[in-house]
Amino acid sequence: MCGIVGAIAEREVREILLEGLKRLEYRGYDSAGLAFISPTPNALATQINTIKTVGKVNKLVSAVSKSKAKASGRIGIAHTRWATHGKPSVANAHPHLSGADIALVHNGIIENYEALRAELRKAGYTFDTDTDTETIAHLIHANRAGGKVSLLSAVKKTVKRLEGAYGLCVIDNTEPDKLVVARSGSPLVIGVGIGENFVASDPLALGQVTDRFIYLEEGDIAQIQRESIAIWHKGKKVNRPTTTVKHQTADSDKGRYEHFMLKEIYEQPRVIQDTLDGRVSKSSVLEQAFGINAPALFDKIKSVQIVACGTSSHAGLVAKYWFESIAKLPCQVDIASDYRYRDIIAQPDTLFVTISQSGETADTLAALRYAKKLDYVATLAICNVATSSLVRESDISMLTMAGQEIGVASTKAFTTQLAILLVLAIVLARRTGLTTAQEAKLVKELHKLPGIVEKTLGLRKQIKTIAKQFSDKHHSLFLGRGIQYPVAKEGALKLKEISYIHAEAYPAGELKHGPLALVDSKMPVVAVAPNNDLLGKLKANLSEVSARGGKLFVFADESIGYQSEKGLKVINVPRCSEVLAPIVFTVPLQLLSYYVAITKGTDVDHPRNLAKSVTVE
Ligand code: F6R
């Protein structure tokens, strides 16, 4: 997804911008670029210079090092682009220019850009790119009225015409001492320095220059100068608090691991522990952790509505089983992109829960905004980013303490989401008859979780060996029953995302209703088999696969004593209780997808066509 960095300083800002872009690489992008207000060759004036490249930031770094005089200035803006309008190309990469003086970077999508374009064409503007962003640059230029209107006023006038989402950062060679920024639907944060200031779409980008940040609110416009920051909201000047954010540099460093994904898989025991710390005592759950108002709100809850996307929605599907079986509450789970456009009939006394790693996923945010107009008791965000829009816009929130997740394929965020959802199920279950003894039993299991996950990571070598059998395959099936069906879905999503092998998940009982026709010796079938009441039924489903010559890989609880035989490879998973099984059995599936991708040689941390944070629809 796109990333923005901007800087104004007394020193050269080139390296600050490049380092910022590198730090945003984890978000996924296809091109990158910079613009500076640089001295002209005779040093008597200034001019806008841009450098743009398609591909990784390293290509931009090489291009910059070849023309340092051009890529130089004390004020500059930079961008990584993830194509939405027009293919990845140098022309479509940001910054975009209007005339010789205005340069702009933009995150988000302008929905009425075609109408604006037509209008600007009539006014004599020509367009060099396929982007919606170029329209904004020209509109600002038009609103400057040949210099009669200041850049700030022109931006204020311009954003009133924009429909859609934007985080903008603009420079103007005729006002070379300021960055003007605006936010609506796409995050922007101002980094506060001493005699220098910065802006970025994510504070992570500025970790090398400051730990003090001002988070812009929806609709804010700001003028950033070396010594001052001024913010306006709905035409009025406003003050926004400065927050100190300690950067966990270890998260953005692969350390001894070859990929972020593997590092993040291995971090799971620790981050699950971090997630439970302070939220769970020895024998009970501390429900205040959901916020001071949460207990009173939870008292009113008679059902749960979950909305999320991708992996986070799989966490919701697992939780549905917990809400039903532990809390005895009905629970509905919807995909955010679907929910937001339906005529939703909100059930009375319902808690609306969003789940998101980033907290900036456009569909999940839109679903939350829609839900807030409906009759829910409260909105709860389960999220990994404390400062995200989702957290800020929800009534209450509970953070997963996964730390920064950089691998595009979500791993530790998912298992920490599950830990929180299990805690939530217990909290709600208290109100529906869960006894303190039953709660203590569940909490005892939760305390065992980090240790069991650690043990499960020990399957790495075995999984690495079987992964080789997938590398020449084009399709695969993942099976699970009951609460393990969403686990199978998550396993299939991981495999397709990073190895590009088509992977489909089915509830094992559905096999004979169609998908069994796909099974032959070329179709690997992966199954998750914890020790629960459905085991007998699952085994019967797996026999149907064996009978058709299917190649089975079964992750089975070691206590079952499932034996490998011809066409059936059993990988024993450390013994765990039924309630923990969805979390524990996720781990070997993550490792499987990782090692299959390694065997195939794909780009594990940056799979093709995908972005880490999907901030556009
Ligand atoms: C898959 C993956 C995505 C995200 C989805 C939602 O590995 O990472 O499916 O889960 O884009 O993102 P968040 O959780 O940030 O809302």
Side-chain angles (χ1 to χ4, degrees):
M1 207 74 350
C2 306
I4 288 177
V5 191
I8 177 159
E10 206 173 359
R11 55 178 164 153
E12 171 63 61
V13 297
R14 181 197 304 124
E15 295 309 320
I16 298 170
L17 297 180
L18 287 173
E19 174 62 23
L21 291 186
K22 282 187 203 152
R23 285 168 175 251
L24 291 178
E25 280 195 288
Y26 78 96
R27 293 167 64 90
Y29 64 99
D30 43 53
S31 51
L34 306 145
F36 300 90
I37 298 182
S38 316
T40 48
N42 61 11
L44 294 175
T46 55
Q47 65 187 25
I48 298 269
N49 283 336
T50 60
I51 299 199
K52 307 198 274 187
T53 50
V54 173
K56 300 280 179 201
V57 170
N58 273 345
K59 272 182 80 182
L60 185 69
V61 172
S62 316
V64 162
S65 69
K66 281 183 202 134
S67 51
K68 280 213 165 133
K70 198 176 160 204
S72 172
R74 292 169 186 195
I75 173 168
I77 54 178
H79 192 260
T80 45
R81 173 175 187 255
W82 189 68
T84 55
H85 295 71
K87 62 179 195 302
S89 67
V90 169
N92 287 336
H94 302 209
H96 289 296
L97 305 177
S98 184
D101 292 328
I102 290 174
L104 163 143
V105 288
H106 162 226
N107 283 0
I109 289 179
I110 302 305
E111 288 177 339
N112 60 334
Y113 82 104
E114 278 170 331
L116 293 172
R117 222 177 219 234
E119 184 184 314
L120 287 159
R121 275 209 174 103
K122 274 196 198 141
Y125 286 91
T126 53
F127 286 81
D128 300 326
T129 80
D130 307 316
T131 65
D132 49 343
T133 304
E134 193 183 8
T135 318
I136 314 174
H138 287 330
L139 200 52
I140 294 171
H141 186 275
N143 285 331
R144 287 223 57 200
K148 288 195 212 85
V149 175
S150 71
L151 175 63
L152 176 67
S153 302
V155 171
K156 284 182 179 172
K157 203 169 164 195
T158 299
V159 295
K160 287 194 185 135
R161 303 285 320 278
L162 304 180
E163 289 167 20
Y166 55 84
L168 300 177
C169 183
V170 199
I171 51 175
D172 185 327
N173 186 42
T174 63
E175 296 185 36
D177 59 344
K178 62 194 63 134
L179 297 161
V180 175
V181 303
R183 173 203 166 141
S184 179
S186 198
L188 269 188
V189 62
I190 297 173
V192 182
I194 299 168
E196 55 186 14
N197 287 311
F198 314 94
V199 66
S201 49
D202 181 333
L204 176 75
L206 303 174
Q208 81 280 21
V209 280
T210 187
D211 61 359
R212 291 189 303 140
F213 296 98
I214 298 171
Y215 289 89
L216 291 181
E217 298 286 331
E218 287 291 281
D220 281 357
I221 297 176
Q223 177 165 283
I224 304 169
Q225 297 184 276
R226 276 210 310 109
E227 301 284 357
S228 68
I229 294 164
I231 305 171
W232 289 263
H233 186 83
K234 293 190 177 150
K236 286 207 183 101
K237 218 164 175 188
V238 288
N239 283 320
R240 301 271 177 239
T242 305
T243 318
T244 302
V245 176
K246 289 274 163 259
H247 294 279
Q248 297 169 324
T249 44
D251 279 341
S252 48
D253 181 349
K254 279 199 283 247
R256 63 192 166 93
Y257 295 93
E258 204 182 327
H259 295 98
F260 281 110
M261 182 181 178
L262 188 63
K263 174 176 176 253
E264 288 159 5
I265 290 173
Y266 269 79
E267 281 172 351
Q268 289 178 110
R270 176 176 61 78
V271 297
I272 291 172
Q273 186 61 61
D274 290 349
T275 299
L276 296 175
D277 279 349
R279 276 90 180 260
V280 178
S281 75
K282 204 160 168 250
S283 56
S284 67
V285 166
L286 307 169
E287 60 182 48
Q288 297 284 352
F290 285 91
I292 194 131
N293 303 324
L297 293 173
F298 290 158
D299 285 346
K300 300 181 191 158
I301 299 305
K302 296 213 166 53
S303 78
V304 179
Q305 167 73 61
I306 297 177
V307 173
C309 300
T311 287
S312 297
S313 76
H314 296 157
L317 290 171
V318 170
K320 177 183 169 75
Y321 288 83
W322 286 331
F323 290 130
E324 288 172 355
S325 64
I326 302 172
K328 314 288 179 217
L329 291 177
C331 173
Q332 194 162 314
V333 185
D334 284 286
I335 298 292
S337 55
D338 181 61
Y339 177 96
R340 65 182 285 193
Y341 292 115
R342 290 215 319 266
D343 292 325
I344 297 293
I345 318 290
Q347 291 301 309
D349 308 318
T350 298
L351 177 66
F352 182 85
V353 181
T354 52
I355 310 170
S356 173
Q357 188 286 124
S358 60
E360 301 295 348
T361 300
D363 284 321
T364 310
L365 264 173
L368 169 67
R369 288 170 187 161
Y370 177 22
K372 283 169 80 172
K373 295 186 197 132
L374 303 175
D375 208 10
Y376 291 109
V377 172
T379 55
L380 162 67
I382 296 177
C383 187
N384 199 35
V385 182
T387 50
S388 63
S389 306
L390 202 69
V391 168
R392 287 185 290 132
E393 292 183 28
S394 297
D395 298 323
I396 50 175
S397 62
M398 182 68 144
L399 293 178
T400 46
M401 296 294 174
Q404 192 192 344
E405 192 178 63
I406 291 179
V408 164
S410 187
T411 52
K412 60 178 182 169
F414 178 70
T415 47
T416 52
Q417 286 165 353
L418 288 180
I420 296 283
L421 286 159
L422 183 50
V423 167
L424 179 63
I426 296 172
V427 160
L428 296 178
R430 278 180 180 166
R431 282 135 172 113
T432 55
L434 189 79
T435 63
T436 36
Q438 286 167 327
E439 177 168 340
K441 212 170 149 201
L442 286 167
V443 169
K444 198 168 160 201
E445 287 304 318
L446 267 174
H447 284 305
K448 288 185 201 161
L449 183 58
I452 302 175
V453 170
E454 184 79 59
K455 245 174 120 183
T456 308
L457 292 169
L459 296 175
R460 188 182 69 91
K461 273 196 183 148
Q462 273 189 70
I463 293 172
K464 198 172 170 184
T465 309
I466 63 163
K468 292 185 188 120
Q469 298 184 50
F470 285 71
S471 57
D472 62 338
K473 302 293 186 297
H474 297 292
H475 306 278
S476 59
L477 283 178
F478 281 67
L479 304 178
R481 283 201 77 122
I483 197 167
Q484 292 292 332
Y485 168 51
V487 173
K489 276 173 84 75
E490 176 56 11
L493 177 63
K494 287 287 94 84
L495 189 72
K496 63 188 142 196
E497 260 182 302
I498 61 167
S499 74
Y500 317 144
I501 294 174
H502 172 222
E504 218 55 68
Y506 275 95
E510 270 292 292
L511 210 53
K512 54 183 165 301
H513 299 291
L516 202 54
L518 295 170
V519 171
D520 63 14
S521 59
K522 292 195 201 84
M523 171 76 91
V525 181
V526 179
V528 272
N531 195 354
N532 64 18
D533 289 349
L534 292 170
L535 181 64
K537 306 234 176 266
L538 177 73
K539 279 183 157 176
N541 302 140
L542 299 186
S543 309
E544 294 160 6
V545 173
S546 295
R548 271 104 192 146
K551 190 129 187 67
L552 270 167
F553 299 88
V554 183
F555 293 95
D557 188 296
E558 62 187 5
S559 63
I560 300 171
Y562 213 155
Q563 297 295 321
S564 292
E565 55 188 61
K566 193 165 179 292
L568 164 67
K569 172 74 187 161
V570 175
I571 301 99
N572 281 317
V573 176
R575 180 188 301 245
C576 68
S577 62
E578 203 174 328
V579 74
L580 296 188
I583 308 176
V584 173
F585 277 75
T586 295
V587 176
L589 300 186
Q590 294 169 340
L591 286 168
L592 179 66
S593 62
Y594 175 77
Y595 282 111
V596 173
I598 292 294
T599 317
K600 290 197 67 181
T602 54
D603 187 348
V604 173
D605 285 334
H606 305 107
R608 69 185 181 201
N609 307 340
L610 297 180
K612 181 65 186 161
S613 181
V614 187
T615 53
V616 291
E617 191 175 354

